[in-house]
Amino acid sequence: MEKVQHGVPQGSVLGPLLFLMYINDLAKSVSDIASPILFADDTSFIITYRDETEFKLRTHEILNRINKWFHTNLLMLNCDKTYFLPFSTKTDTDDNMKVSFGNKNLLLCKIQNS
């Protein structure tokens, strides 16, 4: 392992600005089929489709685009800190959708209905 020769110290004022400049075009890679939301070092993608099949196809397409962007920019997504949170109506029956990034399944968050 080699010592890092360039960069900014963690916690510096310059770090977040440089990070945001570095990932600024991530949102553009999927903005035609999803609504990206970037806040500090957190990113969310809102995907809305009424048709279940179309929703699944678009979700996988978005994840493929994000994966390509990460690979191109020499980054890796930490799948242990990445969640998929589906919202649906009471009449929807498929609550077991599997979402993967690369070869790893993303953690599924579920909201319990009362």
Side-chain angles (χ1 to χ4, degrees), residues 9 19 25 28 35 39 58 67 89 95 101-102:
F19 175 77
D25 64 332
K28 293 177 187 173
S35 298
F39 179 76
R58 293 298 185 174
N67 194 23
T89 63
D95 61 349
F101 187 85

Side-chain angles (χ1 to χ4, degrees), residues 3-4 24 27 38 42 44 47 49 66 72 76 82 86 91 109:
K3 186 176 178 182
V4 175
N24 190 46
L38 282 74
D42 289 327
S44 297
I47 307 163
Y49 288 94
I66 294 168
T72 301
M76 288 179 45
T82 303
T91 59
C109 292

Side-chain angles (χ1 to χ4, degrees), residues 19-30 62-76 101:
F19 175 77
L20 290 174
M21 289 172 57
Y22 190 73
I23 68 156
N24 190 46
D25 64 332
L26 171 61
K28 293 177 187 173
S29 68
V30 296
I62 290 163
L63 289 170
N64 285 335
R65 288 186 189 186
I66 294 168
N67 194 23
K68 182 179 177 182
W69 184 91
F70 268 77
H71 182 72
T72 301
N73 288 281
L74 306 174
L75 295 172
M76 288 179 45
F101 187 85

Side-chain angles (χ1 to χ4, degrees), residues 22 33 44 68 78-79 91 108 113:
Y22 190 73
I33 57 176
S44 297
K68 182 179 177 182
N78 185 344
C79 289
T91 59
L108 179 66
N113 294 331

Side-chain angles (χ1 to χ4, degrees), residues 4 6-19 41 81:
V4 175
H6 303 347
V8 295
Q10 186 172 357
S12 70
V13 175
L14 191 56
L17 176 63
L18 292 174
F19 175 77
D41 64 346
K81 293 182 177 182

